[in-house]
Amino acid sequence: MQVFDKILIANRGEIAVRIARTLGDMGIKTVAVYSDADAKAPHVGFCDEAVRLGPADARESYLKIDAVVQAAVDTGAQAIHPGYGFLSENPAFARACADAGIEFVGPSAEAIEIMGDKIAARKAVEARGVPTVPGIVGASDDEILARAEDIGFPMIVKPAMGGGGKGMHVARTLDELRDALPTARRESGKAFGDETVFVERFIERPRHIEVQVMADKHGNVVHLGERECSLQRRHQKVIEEAPSAFLSPEQRERYGQIAIETARSVDYVGAGTVEFIVASDAPDEPYFLEMNTRLQVEHPVTEEVTGLDLVELMTTIAAGQPLPLEQTDVVLTGHSIEARIYAEDPNEGFLPTGGTIVRLRQPHYDDPRIRFDSGVEEGSVVSSNYDPMLAKVIATGETRDEALATLQEGLAHLFIAGVVTNVGFLTTLLARDEVVAGEIDTEFIDRNVESLTDSRVPTAAYAKAALAVSGPSSNRIGTAWQADGWRIGGPAEIRSRLADATVFIDPRTMQTRVVADDPATLMPDTDNEPSGFATFGWTSYEDRHPTGTHVDDDAVWVQLHGHTYRVERHRAAEAALAEGEAAITAPMPGAVVAIAVADGDTVEVGQHVLSVEAMKMEHKLMATQAGVVRLEVAEGEQVTRGQLLAHIEAAESANGGMQ
């Protein structure tokens, strides 16, 4: 039965594509919305119609309630699906939809409002007997400090509005709590427009377990099992799986029933997720953390183990149909794990990256065990205006071990060139013994981040990059008249100069000899130990590992065993700098928002030269040596990652030598 004729999807990227796919299967026409930055984005072409909202800035496009609702009215859409992020948990948006006579595919504005306020949510669920972490709410700083010893340290200060780790501070003593409270209030005010905070007992090395619920307009509520989301970085989820290896069947049912009571506390309708924090040594003691009143990023793992399409269920519920299943109909089969693919550089503190995706090889697109939910394609421009998540790889197997192995295989075949991503970091993370054993907690990544990241490049990547740059002609021996360095006694080695190494290739055997400028930049691999130079036999390696390369003007993108390395080519611009000059380059794509010096000024080490903004974050770039600065860009200019922004002439060079 067709429930709506047309639905507008108030989102972008992979979630907009994913929603449109299900709605299309249901026979429902879809309307995309887009900003100027997304005019050619995949989600626009995937839908039946598309409406421009405004400029690239989300505040002038995707977050503009009036424009989104008007787009639905103008196209005759009967409902709006918000996806996640943007307006999905904005009660004003839900009310605006209702006022316009458009169905909001989600809960009521009142439910969103209560669950969006952590203090109100806590009171609502406690009234239904839901366990919450011991804490203090609705109190002044002086009252909190006076009652702190009753709760016990360590404690965590949280903003009442918002989430994502912003404004959260852990205090282990009364003095630390005294300092943390005003700081948390200021940060909460800036991030969420509300300085209200509360405190809770801080659970050391906790696990993050969440339960998916689905509720209709007739009072029926079921839970669809739990997801383990403990692998996080700075409170942001990285890997999610269903079910959790941490819970027994009896515990799973208890968590599910608590989640159902949570949903009932606000007369919930649609898909929602109840999140719990649990001590690693006390699985029988879950504490309510919060309720997300929308579809979650990680919903595919629940779909894979239940066989249910959550977007389809949300849509039929929004149309007033009752849930088509009861709790006894929900059966979890197998195990599913999801990895989030982000445009970010783990070796640079996970700074967001960007650029144009020039090569995209999906992981086993014909393998039913692997699902690839993506919002990008070859040619997609990854903008710094929006969240850096590009795609998700979801692997499913009969057991957790099988799902984990399949996910690792999928990541090994995923190749994205043109934009630096976290795929290599995910590969390293999933191979850790603790992760394989399921012995994880929400602090695991932050605790081990140094051992999970490595900026060194393996010899194999240099070798593959050199072979790619040299071209296919280097793979064959020509005649004596071919301009390939032929000589009596055999052809000469082919020399390929990269930014940090020189690679010599024997055209007869394809053996490579890598000479690194700095031996410390070589990562040990299966064939070599790092040293000043290494000999590498390519053919044997390629037989054992999936590979890929893409050559552009600045670098060679090399994909090896689940990692993608950006091997820079010989940097002509920096090589042209005079001896003693230092370059300042863009750490990421973005805009030059401030220049703190004038061309020709004398600067000191550590002095602020200019700032680049990306993802609403401003990054100050400092002088790395004293001297005279020469600017290469102007304020307001858009720059790419690695672009030369300024160079500094050493003081003695600028003065024509030492006097």
Side-chain angles (χ1 to χ4, degrees):
M1 174 183 176
Q2 189 165 308
V3 293
F4 294 108
D5 295 321
K6 186 183 291 185
I7 293 179
L8 182 141
I9 303 168
N11 220 293
R12 64 179 299 278
E14 68 85 18
I15 189 57
V17 173
R18 184 264 169 277
I19 293 169
R21 182 176 288 112
T22 285
L23 297 182
D25 290 343
M26 296 175 70
I28 300 172
K29 297 292 185 182
T30 53
V31 180
V33 290
Y34 64 92
S35 69
D36 290 343
D38 280 341
K40 297 182 180 179
H43 79 277
V44 175
F46 205 87
C47 292
D48 299 296
E49 300 176 58
V51 178
R52 176 186 177 273
L53 292 177
D57 189 330
R59 292 167 295 186
E60 298 299 320
S61 52
Y62 295 107
L63 292 173
K64 205 167 183 180
I65 293 176
D66 292 345
V68 175
V69 173
Q70 191 62 50
V73 172
D74 292 345
T75 57
Q78 300 146 310
I80 293 179
H81 197 304
Y84 53 72
F86 291 135
L87 296 171
S88 62
E89 293 182 286
N90 187 318
F93 181 51
R95 288 194 179 95
C97 290
D99 292 343
I102 295 171
E103 189 69 32
F104 178 74
V105 183
S108 67
E110 291 73 24
I112 296 173
E113 208 156 43
I114 291 172
M115 286 303 174
D117 181 331
K118 290 185 173 63
I119 294 176
R122 185 183 176 106
K123 292 178 179 177
V125 302
E126 286 177 343
R128 301 285 301 195
V130 173
T132 58
V133 181
I136 304 170
V137 300
S140 67
D141 288 1
D142 288 341
E143 290 172 322
I144 290 173
L145 291 168
R147 296 168 54 193
E149 295 295 347
D150 296 334
I151 301 300
F153 288 95
M155 300 177 71
I156 185 167
V157 184
K158 295 182 177 181
M161 306 298 292
K166 295 177 182 177
M168 293 171 58
H169 293 270
V170 175
R172 299 185 180 279
T173 66
L174 196 61
D175 286 341
E176 288 184 6
L177 180 61
R178 186 176 289 108
D179 292 337
L181 285 166
T183 301
R185 290 191 190 278
R186 285 194 301 271
E187 292 177 350
S188 180
K190 289 179 181 178
F192 311 115
D194 189 316
E195 293 191 353
T196 307
V197 300
F198 66 103
V199 297
E200 290 179 339
R201 182 185 301 160
F202 181 67
I203 299 176
E204 301 277 10
R205 296 196 175 184
R207 295 181 81 118
H208 184 126
I209 307 291
E210 62 184 32
V211 176
Q212 178 73 59
V213 296
M214 195 68 70
D216 63 23
K217 296 179 179 180
H218 307 279
N220 302 307
V221 187
V222 297
H223 73 83
L224 306 180
E226 84 287 356
R227 296 185 288 257
E228 172 80 63
C229 302
S230 296
L231 283 173
Q232 305 177 5
R233 188 185 68 80
R234 298 176 186 171
H235 305 288
Q236 294 290 331
K237 299 165 188 173
V238 176
I239 301 289
E240 302 101 348
E241 57 185 295
S244 170
F246 181 59
L247 301 184
S248 67
E250 295 75 21
Q251 290 165 340
R252 175 170 300 114
E253 185 55 30
R254 178 164 181 257
Y255 281 50
Q257 291 304 314
I258 294 174
I260 287 174
E261 288 303 310
T262 300
R264 292 191 185 283
S265 73
V266 289
D267 296 323
Y268 198 82
V269 172
T273 297
V274 180
E275 304 196 350
F276 297 98
I277 190 168
V278 191
S280 295
D281 58 354
D284 285 323
E285 299 178 11
Y287 293 115
F288 171 80
L289 184 63
E290 64 181 349
M291 184 177 189
N292 288 305
T293 54
R294 53 170 167 79
L295 191 66
Q296 292 279 87
V297 175
E298 58 273 20
H299 77 274
V301 294
T302 295
E303 294 184 324
E304 293 300 313
V305 297
T306 61
L308 300 169
D309 186 320
L310 270 60
V311 172
E312 181 178 357
L313 285 174
M314 294 178 74
T315 305
T316 57
I317 286 170
Q321 294 186 7
L323 276 168
L325 72 165
E326 297 180 354
Q327 191 61 59
T328 53
D329 298 320
V330 179
V331 178
L332 308 186
T333 303
H335 201 97
S336 188
I337 309 177
E338 173 183 289
R340 301 186 185 192
I341 311 302
Y342 283 101
E344 63 184 12
D345 190 345
N347 295 323
E348 295 292 337
F350 295 89
L351 284 174
T353 60
T356 301
I357 295 178
V358 293
R359 175 82 185 278
L360 174 59
R361 184 182 67 197
Q362 297 187 16
H364 292 314
Y365 65 90
D366 58 345
D367 188 337
R369 302 174 305 162
I370 297 178
R371 171 174 164 179
F372 186 61
D373 285 11
S374 172
V376 294
E377 59 190 8
E378 287 190 1
S380 289
V381 177
V382 180
S383 169
S384 60
N385 291 293
Y386 312 117
D387 185 272
M389 195 178 78
L390 305 178
K392 303 177 299 197
V393 180
I394 305 101
T396 304
E398 292 184 5
T399 64
R400 183 176 186 271
D401 288 345
E402 183 181 325
L404 187 59
T406 302
L407 180 56
Q408 290 170 320
E409 183 181 346
L411 291 175
H413 284 82
L414 174 62
F415 180 35
I416 300 174
V419 175
V420 175
T421 72
N422 67 332
V423 173
F425 167 78
L426 295 172
T427 298
T428 301
L429 174 65
L430 292 170
R432 284 289 292 255
D433 291 342
E434 301 95 324
V435 175
V436 173
E439 298 170 355
I440 54 178
D441 58 73
T442 60
E443 300 167 12
F444 178 82
I445 291 178
D446 293 335
R447 199 166 56 242
N448 296 282
V449 68
E450 289 188 10
S451 63
L452 292 169
T453 55
D454 194 337
S455 61
R456 294 176 299 168
V457 177
T459 309
Y462 284 120
K464 185 65 173 175
L467 289 168
V469 170
S470 299
S473 62
S474 65
N475 295 338
R476 300 177 178 84
I477 300 175
T479 69
W481 316 112
Q482 183 175 321
D484 64 351
W486 187 92
R487 61 184 177 179
I488 295 175
E493 287 183 312
I494 299 168
R495 178 177 179 272
S496 182
R497 182 77 176 97
L498 301 170
D500 300 309
T502 302
V503 181
F504 299 91
I505 306 168
D506 185 332
R508 298 168 302 180
T509 64
M510 301 311 297
Q511 290 283 316
T512 59
R513 183 164 55 91
V514 179
V515 181
D517 296 346
D518 179 0
T521 63
L522 281 180
M523 182 191 298
D525 56 45
T526 56
D527 294 286
N528 302 284
E529 290 299 319
S531 59
F533 72 91
T535 300
F536 184 80
W538 182 256
T539 303
S540 62
Y541 191 91
E542 198 164 41
D543 288 341
R544 297 194 306 276
H545 302 279
T547 63
T549 59
H550 179 84
V551 181
D552 62 28
D553 292 338
D554 301 317
V556 183
W557 299 82
V558 180
Q559 190 256 0
L560 296 170
H561 47 83
H563 295 254
T564 297
Y565 301 96
R566 184 180 183 273
V567 180
E568 293 189 13
R569 303 179 70 174
H570 190 53
R571 293 185 290 266
E574 289 189 34
L577 295 178
E579 184 176 353
E581 289 186 343
I584 297 178
T585 58
M588 71 202 75
V592 178
V593 293
I595 296 180
V597 298
D599 189 72
D601 279 359
T602 300
V603 296
E604 300 298 327
V605 175
Q607 184 174 337
H608 179 207
V609 176
L610 47 79
S611 296
V612 173
E613 182 185 72
M615 294 294 294
K616 304 290 188 296
M617 295 173 61
E618 188 172 312
H619 304 272
K620 290 185 175 180
L621 303 179
M622 310 299 186
T624 55
Q625 72 175 27
V628 176
V629 66
R630 302 297 180 189
L631 298 173
E632 302 288 342
V633 293
E635 190 169 319
E637 186 173 335
Q638 292 288 324
V639 297
T640 59
R641 184 180 187 272
Q643 182 176 333
L644 184 66
L645 307 180
H647 60 276
I648 302 171
E649 302 171 357
E652 57 269 25
S653 299
N655 294 325
M658 296 296 291
Q659 301 297 317

